[in-house]
Amino acid sequence: MKKALSILLATLLLTTALGVGATATPVDHSLQFQLPIVTAIDAAWNGEVLIDDWLQPVFTAENVEVTVHFQDGTSEVLEHFYDNASNWSWEIQFTVDFEAELVIVRYTDSNSMDRFMDEHDICGCEIDLEAYLAWLPQTTFAFPGNFLDDILAAFPTLTLDETATFADGDMFTFIPENTGLHHFFSSGDQDLAIFNTNMELIWFGEIFSTHRWAQVQLTVGETYLVQLWAWGGTQNITVSETAPAPGGGGGSGNSWLQNLVNNLLWLVQHTPGGRFLTVLLFPIMLPVLGLLRLVNWIYTGRW
């Protein structure tokens, strides 16, 4: 996949107000002790989609040309979108409106709020945030609400009960065959994040071996995004409608009897009084699990 569309391309951004930092030399008009007054801005997107680790769009001087117009009639095309010194700063902020398929581009600096209060003859306690945002120099450009479609199509897909290998940061898509609990587990130690197509995080955490796995309620036919970070090189991931046996590496790939044995072995190895519990629980677990497997086979057709 093109590097610009890689999930490893950009620094993690958690808000939809996306200010992109840089450390280049300040623009000529950004004086050290007195910022110039910006009266208007223009922004032109070149159509290239850049995304961050959370698949949110990122806007930099690589894909957006921003021109600021100053009070003295001059203008400048910015080479970066943020700068600061000991007592001043300025920033170009991008807010994506996915429903309207627009990106709002605003200019703000360390003098903006004072100028706003002076012009409106108000104090800080009287500031209306919406009015302030509307007052800032700004512009918009069109941005497709379905920008993720091409990106998602390029990701490999996970298949139920089939093991897939991955490297650090890889992303998969998964579409459940049935509505219900799904279990994501592996043979190694890794971090896992699961999103819906609105890029809402529905599960995040560490999974390792089959002692800890992700258990998530998913809806049939919906597309989910699965991102993994491997601890120690290439590893594997499996998604199943059946939970793995603790310590066994199983899931629905093993028979129910093998899963039962693995659970009992885990009790012996990790639980105080495990031998006693095993002797006590085995006669109970065997018929109960057998009945549950029968019900599962009748309901899903999968033993």
Side-chain angles (χ1 to χ4, degrees), residues 117-133:
M117 290 189 293
D118 289 343
E119 289 187 14
H120 293 80
D121 193 24
I122 59 176
C123 66
C125 61
E126 300 173 319
I127 291 176
D128 182 327
L129 182 58
E130 290 186 5
Y132 172 68
L133 292 177

Side-chain angles (χ1 to χ4, degrees), residues 227-249:
Q227 188 174 20
L228 301 119
W229 295 267
W231 292 29
T234 301
Q235 295 183 16
N236 64 61
I237 183 71
T238 303
V239 56
S240 176
E241 294 178 358
T242 305

